[in-house]
Amino acid sequence: MPSPSGSSTLSKPAPRFASIGSPYFGIMLAVMAVVLILSNIGASKGVVLGPIITDGGFFLFPLAYILGDVMSEVYGFKVARKAIITSFALSAFASLCYWVIIVLPGFTDEYGTAKQAAIEGALGPVPQIVLASLLAFLAGQTINSWILVKMKERTGEKTLWARLMGSSVVGEFVDTLIFCSIAASVIGITDFGMFANYVLVGFVYKTGVEFLFVPITVLVVGYIKKREPSYGPVAA
């Protein structure tokens, strides 16, 4: 029956989240950090596939968002935010390590000089690329995680597919727009048409991959929820 204040005594149950005591979170965090670091290396290479303009990290980056979705759904926004910040910091640290490795004095013979040039070409941190990738990841992943958790507060355990797809659309758009705006000139994009192509293709591709993997993401989320002792029983 209604309470004296006129509101129902039945309140919506709070969304469930697990603690991070099990190994699953640590494994996903490690994979996310590695994916981001490798994506930053690949992003320095512009890639042309027919009419499509993208970069060398295009096939890796959606995996970071899928992992972010799983962590946000299972562990909540605060834990997911820690994972995002940790991956951000590790990627920045990797870029610093590349710089130190490159500036260390090496052998001056023909082989040593060739090796130095190869290392500089493969690992040489382009500040603009690193800045673009880190800022885009930080903003896009944070928004993605926040939206997913807010949607879960409204729907509980229901309509996971809608949370995954809805949060991905916004997060990937923010990520793609920030990255392309900062990194376009370094990659070799020189006019608005190429820039629009880069943004549109990047957004459609990354969002499409996430949508394609929604059934698998749902299965992974369900698997981890059932094995996280602190999550509790999962309703069918």
Side-chain angles (χ1 to χ4, degrees):
M1 64 183 292
S3 65
S5 63
S7 62
S8 172
T9 55
L10 297 175
S11 59
K12 188 193 306 181
R16 287 179 295 171
F17 298 107
S19 65
I20 57 175
S22 77
Y24 296 107
F25 174 77
I27 293 170
M28 288 188 287
L29 172 58
V31 175
M32 177 186 277
V34 169
V35 167
L36 180 61
I37 290 169
L38 292 177
S39 296
N40 288 345
I41 296 173
S44 62
K45 176 180 178 177
V47 172
V48 180
L49 300 171
I52 297 173
I53 298 174
T54 182
D55 59 65
F58 78 96
F59 65 97
L60 277 169
F61 201 71
L63 179 58
Y65 269 79
I66 292 171
L67 290 168
D69 285 342
V70 175
M71 286 189 280
S72 300
E73 173 68 22
V74 177
Y75 302 102
F77 178 67
K78 290 183 179 179
V79 172
R81 184 175 58 189
K82 289 180 181 179
I84 293 166
I85 293 172
T86 301
S87 298
F88 176 96
L90 289 173
S91 185
F93 177 68
S95 296
L96 176 62
C97 289
Y98 301 152
W99 177 79
V100 172
I101 292 168
I102 288 170
V103 299
L104 287 172
F107 296 117
T108 57
D109 59 1
E110 184 177 349
Y111 176 78
T113 302
K115 186 137 186 149
Q116 175 70 16
I119 291 175
E120 289 178 4
L123 298 181
V126 180
Q128 204 165 330
I129 292 288
V130 173
L131 177 65
S133 179
L134 293 180
L135 291 181
F137 174 80
L138 186 63
Q141 273 283 15
T142 300
I143 291 172
N144 178 78
S145 176
W146 183 82
I147 291 175
L148 189 148
V149 171
K150 285 298 179 182
M151 291 178 71
K152 185 174 182 178
E153 290 176 358
R154 289 177 171 268
T155 62
E157 296 295 320
K158 300 177 182 179
T159 61
L160 172 57
W161 62 271
R163 293 196 292 279
L164 295 173
M165 296 174 76
S167 61
S168 295
V169 168
V170 181
E172 290 287 14
F173 179 76
V174 171
D175 181 290
T176 305
L177 184 61
I178 292 175
F179 178 82
C180 293
S181 298
I182 299 174
S185 61
V186 177
I187 293 173
I189 294 173
T190 56
D191 59 58
F192 181 77
M194 293 178 67
F195 175 77
N197 183 314
Y198 189 34
V199 172
L200 182 61
V201 168
F203 170 67
V204 170
Y205 166 76
K206 288 185 283 189
T207 306
V209 169
E210 286 207 58
F211 283 8
L212 184 64
F213 276 86
V214 161
I216 297 175
T217 306
V218 169
L219 291 176
V220 172
V221 166
Y223 177 89
I224 295 176
K225 283 180 177 178
K226 290 177 181 178
R227 285 158 179 78
E228 279 287 7
S230 59
Y231 196 87
V234 179

